mmCIF file of all heavy atoms in Angstrom:
data_model
loop_
_atom_site.group_PDB
_atom_site.id
_atom_site.type_symbol
_atom_site.label_atom_id
_atom_site.label_comp_id
_atom_site.label_asym_id
_atom_site.label_seq_id
_atom_site.Cartn_x
_atom_site.Cartn_y
_atom_site.Cartn_z
ATOM 1 N N LEU A 24 -11.602 100.927 -65.003
ATOM 2 C CA LEU A 24 -11.100 102.201 -65.508
ATOM 3 C C LEU A 24 -12.195 102.963 -66.247
ATOM 4 O O LEU A 24 -12.322 104.179 -66.091
ATOM 5 C CB LEU A 24 -9.897 101.968 -66.427
ATOM 6 C CG LEU A 24 -9.249 103.215 -67.022
ATOM 7 C CD1 LEU A 24 -8.681 104.093 -65.911
ATOM 8 C CD2 LEU A 24 -8.154 102.820 -68.000
ATOM 9 N N THR A 25 -13.021 102.265 -66.996
ATOM 10 C CA THR A 25 -14.141 102.898 -67.704
ATOM 11 C C THR A 25 -15.134 103.505 -66.714
ATOM 12 O O THR A 25 -15.614 104.628 -66.902
ATOM 13 C CB THR A 25 -14.849 101.868 -68.615
ATOM 14 O OG1 THR A 25 -13.910 101.363 -69.553
ATOM 15 C CG2 THR A 25 -16.017 102.497 -69.356
ATOM 16 N N VAL A 26 -15.446 102.780 -65.643
ATOM 17 C CA VAL A 26 -16.357 103.297 -64.613
ATOM 18 C C VAL A 26 -15.779 104.555 -63.971
ATOM 19 O O VAL A 26 -16.469 105.583 -63.824
ATOM 20 C CB VAL A 26 -16.647 102.214 -63.537
ATOM 21 C CG1 VAL A 26 -17.351 102.819 -62.332
ATOM 22 C CG2 VAL A 26 -17.457 101.080 -64.126
ATOM 23 N N VAL A 27 -14.510 104.507 -63.610
ATOM 24 C CA VAL A 27 -13.864 105.670 -62.992
ATOM 25 C C VAL A 27 -13.834 106.844 -63.968
ATOM 26 O O VAL A 27 -14.105 107.990 -63.593
ATOM 27 C CB VAL A 27 -12.441 105.313 -62.505
ATOM 28 C CG1 VAL A 27 -11.667 106.551 -62.107
ATOM 29 C CG2 VAL A 27 -12.513 104.333 -61.345
ATOM 30 N N GLN A 28 -13.536 106.565 -65.236
ATOM 31 C CA GLN A 28 -13.482 107.631 -66.240
ATOM 32 C C GLN A 28 -14.860 108.279 -66.414
ATOM 33 O O GLN A 28 -14.963 109.494 -66.552
ATOM 34 C CB GLN A 28 -12.971 107.081 -67.580
ATOM 35 C CG GLN A 28 -12.647 108.143 -68.592
ATOM 36 C CD GLN A 28 -11.517 109.047 -68.136
ATOM 37 O OE1 GLN A 28 -10.523 108.605 -67.597
ATOM 38 N NE2 GLN A 28 -11.684 110.337 -68.350
ATOM 39 N N ASN A 29 -15.924 107.476 -66.388
ATOM 40 C CA ASN A 29 -17.284 108.028 -66.472
ATOM 41 C C ASN A 29 -17.583 108.929 -65.279
ATOM 42 O O ASN A 29 -18.216 109.969 -65.406
ATOM 43 C CB ASN A 29 -18.329 106.915 -66.555
ATOM 44 C CG ASN A 29 -18.393 106.288 -67.922
ATOM 45 O OD1 ASN A 29 -17.983 106.886 -68.908
ATOM 46 N ND2 ASN A 29 -18.898 105.062 -67.985
ATOM 47 N N ARG A 30 -17.143 108.513 -64.097
ATOM 48 C CA ARG A 30 -17.346 109.338 -62.911
ATOM 49 C C ARG A 30 -16.579 110.645 -63.018
ATOM 50 O O ARG A 30 -17.071 111.707 -62.650
ATOM 51 C CB ARG A 30 -16.918 108.585 -61.658
ATOM 52 C CG ARG A 30 -17.847 107.467 -61.278
ATOM 53 C CD ARG A 30 -17.365 106.746 -60.047
ATOM 54 N NE ARG A 30 -18.237 105.618 -59.732
ATOM 55 C CZ ARG A 30 -17.948 104.696 -58.848
ATOM 56 N NH1 ARG A 30 -16.811 104.747 -58.170
ATOM 57 N NH2 ARG A 30 -18.789 103.723 -58.624
ATOM 58 N N ILE A 31 -15.370 110.572 -63.525
ATOM 59 C CA ILE A 31 -14.557 111.788 -63.679
ATOM 60 C C ILE A 31 -15.194 112.714 -64.714
ATOM 61 O O ILE A 31 -15.308 113.921 -64.505
ATOM 62 C CB ILE A 31 -13.111 111.429 -64.072
ATOM 63 C CG1 ILE A 31 -12.400 110.764 -62.899
ATOM 64 C CG2 ILE A 31 -12.347 112.666 -64.541
ATOM 65 C CD1 ILE A 31 -11.052 110.172 -63.238
ATOM 66 N N ASN A 32 -15.610 112.143 -65.852
ATOM 67 C CA ASN A 32 -16.194 112.956 -66.925
ATOM 68 C C ASN A 32 -17.488 113.638 -66.503
ATOM 69 O O ASN A 32 -17.733 114.792 -66.848
ATOM 70 C CB ASN A 32 -16.449 112.098 -68.165
ATOM 71 C CG ASN A 32 -15.169 111.715 -68.873
ATOM 72 O OD1 ASN A 32 -14.123 112.328 -68.674
ATOM 73 N ND2 ASN A 32 -15.235 110.685 -69.695
ATOM 74 N N SER A 33 -18.336 112.916 -65.782
ATOM 75 C CA SER A 33 -19.631 113.476 -65.400
ATOM 76 C C SER A 33 -19.571 114.227 -64.075
ATOM 77 O O SER A 33 -20.434 115.042 -63.779
ATOM 78 C CB SER A 33 -20.688 112.366 -65.311
ATOM 79 O OG SER A 33 -20.396 111.506 -64.229
ATOM 80 N N GLY A 34 -18.565 113.936 -63.261
ATOM 81 C CA GLY A 34 -18.494 114.531 -61.934
ATOM 82 C C GLY A 34 -19.463 113.872 -60.967
ATOM 83 O O GLY A 34 -19.680 114.353 -59.862
ATOM 84 N N LEU A 35 -20.049 112.775 -61.378
ATOM 85 C CA LEU A 35 -21.066 112.101 -60.569
ATOM 86 C C LEU A 35 -20.596 110.710 -60.184
ATOM 87 O O LEU A 35 -19.972 110.001 -60.981
ATOM 88 C CB LEU A 35 -22.370 111.980 -61.362
ATOM 89 C CG LEU A 35 -22.932 113.278 -61.930
ATOM 90 C CD1 LEU A 35 -24.097 112.978 -62.855
ATOM 91 C CD2 LEU A 35 -23.344 114.206 -60.810
ATOM 92 N N LYS A 36 -20.924 110.309 -58.945
ATOM 93 C CA LYS A 36 -20.569 108.963 -58.500
ATOM 94 C C LYS A 36 -21.381 107.931 -59.266
ATOM 95 O O LYS A 36 -20.889 106.872 -59.638
ATOM 96 C CB LYS A 36 -20.817 108.829 -56.995
ATOM 97 C CG LYS A 36 -20.411 107.492 -56.454
ATOM 98 C CD LYS A 36 -20.562 107.429 -54.952
ATOM 99 C CE LYS A 36 -20.133 106.059 -54.451
ATOM 100 N NZ LYS A 36 -20.271 105.967 -53.008
ATOM 101 N N VAL A 37 -22.655 108.251 -59.509
ATOM 102 C CA VAL A 37 -23.539 107.378 -60.276
ATOM 103 C C VAL A 37 -23.933 108.152 -61.528
ATOM 104 O O VAL A 37 -24.764 109.050 -61.478
ATOM 105 C CB VAL A 37 -24.781 106.988 -59.454
ATOM 106 C CG1 VAL A 37 -25.709 106.122 -60.264
ATOM 107 C CG2 VAL A 37 -24.375 106.295 -58.172
ATOM 108 N N ALA A 38 -23.316 107.816 -62.651
ATOM 109 C CA ALA A 38 -23.515 108.579 -63.877
ATOM 110 C C ALA A 38 -24.754 108.139 -64.655
ATOM 111 O O ALA A 38 -25.303 108.908 -65.435
ATOM 112 C CB ALA A 38 -22.278 108.478 -64.770
ATOM 113 N N SER A 39 -25.199 106.911 -64.460
ATOM 114 C CA SER A 39 -26.379 106.440 -65.186
ATOM 115 C C SER A 39 -27.103 105.393 -64.350
ATOM 116 O O SER A 39 -26.586 104.917 -63.337
ATOM 117 C CB SER A 39 -25.973 105.844 -66.542
ATOM 118 O OG SER A 39 -25.282 104.635 -66.355
ATOM 119 N N ALA A 40 -28.293 105.020 -64.799
ATOM 120 C CA ALA A 40 -29.100 104.055 -64.065
ATOM 121 C C ALA A 40 -28.436 102.682 -64.011
ATOM 122 O O ALA A 40 -28.645 101.923 -63.074
ATOM 123 C CB ALA A 40 -30.476 103.940 -64.692
#
Side-chain angles (χ1 to χ4, degrees):
L24 181 63
T25 301
V26 168
V27 169
Q28 191 63 43
N29 284 338
R30 288 179 183 169
I31 290 171
N32 288 342
S33 68
L35 306 172
K36 183 175 180 180
V37 178
S39 70

